[in-house]
Structure formats: structure tokens, C-alpha cells
Amino acid sequence: MKLLPLTYTRPKHVDKQEFRRSEESLQSHDSGQMGSVRSGNSNQSASGIPESLAFDRIINGGTCPPMTVRDFMNYLVYVEHAAENLQFYLWYNDYKKRFDQSTSSDMALAPQWTQAMQEETIAKIRKENVDKRRKEPNAEAFGAEFEKVAREAITESGNPFNTPPHSSSGNEHSSSLSYHRAPSTHASSYKSQAADAFATAGAKQPFTIQPFREEMNRVIATYIMDGAPRQLNLASWEQKAAVQALSYTTHPSALKGIINTIETSLRRQAHPNFVRWSICNGNPARVFFARALGVGLIVGGLVIGLVLTLSSAGRGYRALSAIAFVLGISTLVAAYKGMCVVLHGMHHHHVRPWELFVQDEEVEEKGKSSFESFGSNNSYEDEPWVVRYRRRNIVRKIFDREVWIQEPALRQIQDTIFIQAMLAALLLGGVLTAIFVAVPGGNFF
């Protein structure tokens, strides 16, 4: 059994506020030096994540259940509620590949959207916002702040991390996200919605003969404009800049600002949280039960130690409390990190709630729908399993169906945590037992 270093710690949970502060701090140090998604840092694995579970490896299909890209998508749908980030990211990679491989003669109609054009557009938007604010009541009190924002517009362009994306509502691969032409009955609707977005952003209506224009209309209607079913949580100025860029060209560079935000959120927030969540092999009910069992065993060890110490039994008998201490402390430490030692002994994990009440075919179909580039929102509240799982009694939840963990790297992490728990149990249990053995007997009975 190969283990990670015994000093291993799980990835820290990254909440939105912490992520925002971290990105703002990086902006202040790296302003003006950003590549695509902070190219200097994007390939580094977060603390606690081995290379075999790196973001790119998961996305490219190099991992096994429960660490596949499908599991990642399910996590974003049902746990983090930000599946549109991964859906947009996979679509963009596929779109960029198709665009670069296209050899049609009309590709010249979609010129590249340069960094200078992006900076100029954002600076103009910021200036318009400042002028608008100045015309509002009490604008003088905020004038200095808005002027500062306007001055910083260029340095922040292409790296907007003010609000990390968040949702409003087996191994697939990004290549499965190739664009499927919309039925003609819907094409005019997407075109109309995109036209409204262009008008709202103050952009000119684009040339309809540009390559991939119909697909880009769908992107605007699905991910970018206000009220879109999979609307990305973008700053208003970033949304407006993206729409203006898309009115000029359908070149993938028009979406560079958005994809920078999305990919950074996936790599630095969603991916570490997914790995941390996947380490937990039991559902909340099972983990709570394990914690309670650990506390109960520790209390039992204390009672045994006290009773034997107060009795006339020999000192050697007091060492029996060590059994309860070691079992209780190891169970409690493992449960604190989200693991049930019984499930770990079999290298099993509980089946996820959204997979409990459906057949394999339904799981496959649901997985495929999540990977559709253009679809409805990612809401799941109306799915039948939600009510059924809520009504499930606590005992059945504790002993839910289990499946084997196929991913070797995840088993390796769990093995390391289990050994850490056992070492902590032996150390603390030994100290407590030594105290009971050293104390003089009470000889009360």
C-alpha cells in the first residue's frame, strides 16, 4: 500500500468570499502581467491534490469513478450549483478547436479580438459608468472612488475576479460537446434574443454572414445575457464588454475575458472543493453516526479506566481501556475528515442521493443531458429523487447502498488519512491509558 506523506492535509474548502479576496490580492501583485488564466499558476496543483487528480487530468478523462469529469459535473450541479461554468468551459474548448480547424473561405470575416481592443472597450464602459454615476444624487461622495475604478480599468481588463461565477439555479469528454445545429424554428428566437443583447450593450448589430454566427447567438442567449437559462455570474461591465466583442467577431478571442474568469473559478475554487468532497466516503448521516460512535467509544474507554482504577483489580487490567480509546479516537479523527473507517476498510463509498432511485440507463441519460452545450437551466428541485431522499429514514441513510472506489489516487488519499487517524489514536490512546495505569488504585470494591 503506497501512501502519501504522513503530513498530508486535505484541500482546504474555498468559499466565495475567500476566493474573491485571494484573486483581488493576486490582481494587485500581477496587474498587467496576466496571461490566459494566469498561465504562470494555472497548472499548479492546489495543496492536497496529487498530480493524478489534477484539473486537466480529470477534464481529459484520465481518472476513474468517482473522480471523472461526469462526477465533477454532478458535483457542480447538485452540490456547488455552478454547472454552467463547466458547461461553458467545455463548449468553449470544443468551439475553439472547431474554429481553428475550419478552412472555409468566410473565416476572414471573423477577425481576432485583440487585447488592445478589449482594454479600449472596457475603459470606455467604465468611463460611461462613471459619467452615469456622477449624474445620480450624491455622486460627489463617490466621485473619487469611480475615478479610481476608471483608472484601473485597463489593468483589470481580461482578468475580472470581482464575483466568482456561481449558478443561479463515467467519462464524458469535452469532444462530446460538439455543437448541434438548432432547429430552424428556434434559430430566429436566438437571433432575436442576441439582437436585444447587442442593443442593450450599445453595440452594433453584427454581420450575419460571419462563420458560426448562429451558434454565437445561442451562446449569448444561453450563457451571457440577463435572464439566460445558464447565465454566468459576470460583472455587468464584463458582460457588456463580451457582448460588444461578439458583435464585432465570432473569433474565440472575443470570449477570452469570460473564459479567463470561468477557468480560474473552476481550477481554484470548484476543483479543490470537488476533491475535498470526494474524499468523504459516507453521506452526512453516516459521518455523523461515525462521529457519535467515536465519541461513545472514547467515553466507554474513560468509564472502563475509571472503574478499574477505583477497583481492587490489578494495574494491568486498566490497559484494557486502550482498546476503546484506539477504536474511538481513530473513528472520530477519520469521521472529522469525512470518512467512515468501516466503508474505508472495503474501499467503498455511498451511492450519491441523485443516483439511488434511478436505473443505470436513467443515470446515463441524465449525465448526457448535463453535458449538452445548449439546454435548459441546471435546476434539479423537481427531480423525483429529491422528495424521496428527504423522506428516507435516518437508519436507511446510514446504511445506504455502497459502490467500490475505482480511482487509485483517491484510495491512496483515504489510506493516508486512515493511517494518520490510527497514529493519532495510538498516541492519544497510549497517553490516556498510561495515566490510568500510573494512578494508584482506589480499592473501593
Side-chain angles (χ1 to χ4, degrees):
M1 178 177 62
K2 185 177 179 181
L3 299 176
L4 297 172
L6 293 179
T7 55
Y8 171 83
T9 57
R10 293 179 300 165
K12 293 182 179 179
H13 181 268
V14 184
D15 59 26
K16 287 184 247 182
Q17 290 74 22
E18 181 181 349
F19 176 74
R20 185 180 298 116
R21 287 194 298 268
S22 173
E23 294 306 320
E24 289 175 350
S25 175
L26 285 173
Q27 278 189 352
S28 64
H29 288 86
D30 302 334
S31 179
Q33 301 178 8
M34 305 294 187
S36 175
V37 198
R38 305 190 193 281
S39 58
N41 298 318
S42 61
N43 293 326
Q44 297 178 3
S45 295
S47 176
I49 303 178
E51 286 297 327
S52 51
L53 294 179
F55 176 80
D56 291 316
R57 191 175 180 88
I58 292 175
I59 295 300
N60 294 328
T63 51
C64 301
M67 300 298 300
T68 64
V69 65
R70 175 186 290 180
D71 296 305
F72 191 18
M73 181 69 78
N74 285 336
Y75 168 78
L76 292 173
V77 171
Y78 298 111
V79 180
E80 193 160 297
H81 313 304
E84 64 276 1
N85 295 337
L86 183 56
Q87 290 162 342
F88 181 82
Y89 173 78
L90 295 176
W91 167 82
Y92 177 83
N93 287 342
D94 181 71
Y95 176 75
K96 188 174 184 299
K97 180 179 179 181
R98 288 184 286 115
F99 190 95
D100 293 341
Q101 292 177 346
S102 180
T103 57
S104 58
S105 58
D106 59 355
M107 296 304 292
L109 297 174
Q112 185 175 359
W113 181 256
T114 65
Q115 183 66 24
M117 297 167 70
Q118 177 81 350
E119 293 173 356
E120 181 182 356
T121 299
I122 294 176
K124 181 179 178 181
I125 293 172
R126 291 298 183 89
K127 186 177 184 301
E128 291 175 353
N129 290 341
V130 171
D131 293 340
K132 181 179 179 181
R133 293 284 187 174
R134 281 175 172 168
K135 295 178 182 179
E136 296 178 354
N138 301 322
E140 294 80 1
F142 301 96
E145 178 182 350
F146 290 124
E147 288 177 0
K148 179 180 179 182
V149 170
R151 287 194 302 270
E152 295 175 348
I154 293 180
T155 59
E156 291 182 355
S157 63
N159 298 281
F161 298 107
N162 294 329
T163 52
H166 185 69
S167 175
S168 56
S169 27
N171 302 341
E172 319 300 0
H173 192 269
S174 58
S175 62
S176 67
L177 294 171
S178 57
Y179 169 65
H180 300 285
R181 180 171 298 275
S184 59
T185 54
H186 297 297
S188 59
S189 175
Y190 295 127
K191 182 178 179 181
S192 174
Q193 294 178 62
D196 292 341
F198 291 132
T200 302
K204 296 180 180 179
Q205 296 298 322
F207 293 114
T208 57
I209 59 174
Q210 286 179 321
F212 301 101
R213 174 52 66 183
E214 180 183 334
E215 181 173 2
M216 203 56 73
N217 288 339
R218 295 192 72 184
V219 170
I220 294 172
T222 304
Y223 292 100
I224 299 177
M225 66 181 298
D226 290 333
R230 296 180 179 180
Q231 183 179 353
L232 301 170
N233 191 2
L234 305 172
S236 60
W237 62 267
E238 182 184 12
Q239 180 191 56
K240 190 173 182 180
V243 172
Q244 292 195 13
L246 292 174
S247 72
Y248 173 79
T249 182
T250 56
H251 193 280
S253 57
L255 293 169
K256 182 179 178 181
I258 293 180
I259 199 62
N260 283 354
T261 303
I262 298 301
E263 186 171 353
T264 300
S265 176
L266 288 170
R267 288 180 181 274
R268 297 178 179 271
Q269 181 186 27
H271 175 238
N273 289 349
F274 169 62
V275 174
R276 179 185 175 92
W277 176 79
S278 299
I279 291 173
C280 302
N281 59 7
N283 59 30
R286 182 62 167 260
V287 172
F288 177 81
F289 175 75
R291 291 177 179 177
L293 179 61
V295 171
L297 287 169
I298 294 172
V299 172
L302 291 173
V303 170
I304 292 172
L306 285 173
V307 170
L308 292 176
T309 300
L310 295 176
S311 71
S312 57
R315 290 177 182 267
Y317 289 103
R318 303 177 198 174
L320 293 174
S321 61
I323 299 174
F325 286 141
V326 171
L327 292 176
I329 295 173
S330 61
T331 300
L332 185 61
V333 171
Y336 172 76
K337 299 183 179 183
M339 283 179 48
C340 169
V341 293
V342 175
L343 290 176
H344 171 72
M346 299 178 289
H347 276 135
H348 284 186
H349 74 88
H350 274 149
V351 174
R352 308 306 182 189
W354 49 87
E355 298 174 346
L356 269 176
F357 307 101
V358 294
Q359 302 297 322
D360 292 341
E361 296 78 8
E362 295 176 280
V363 173
E364 185 76 17
E365 185 63 28
K366 180 62 180 176
K368 288 181 179 178
S369 65
S370 298
F371 281 84
E372 292 178 357
S373 300
F374 305 106
S376 59
N377 60 35
N378 297 306
S379 175
Y380 63 88
E381 289 79 3
D382 295 333
E383 294 183 12
W385 70 265
V386 175
V387 175
R388 296 183 64 181
Y389 190 76
R390 188 181 298 123
R391 293 175 178 174
R392 199 175 182 87
N393 66 66
I394 188 68
V395 176
R396 293 194 67 186
K397 288 182 179 179
I398 291 174
F399 298 101
D400 268 345
R401 187 155 50 94
E402 309 161 12
V403 292
W404 184 57
I405 296 173
Q406 300 180 38
E407 175 53 47
L410 182 59
R411 297 201 304 267
Q412 184 183 46
I413 292 176
Q414 293 175 339
D415 288 340
T416 302
I417 292 175
F418 175 74
I419 294 300
Q420 290 174 337
M422 288 301 301
L423 291 175
L426 290 172
L427 177 61
L428 295 177
V431 171
L432 291 173
T433 303
I435 292 174
F436 280 116
V437 172
V439 172
N443 296 318
F444 290 105
F445 52 91

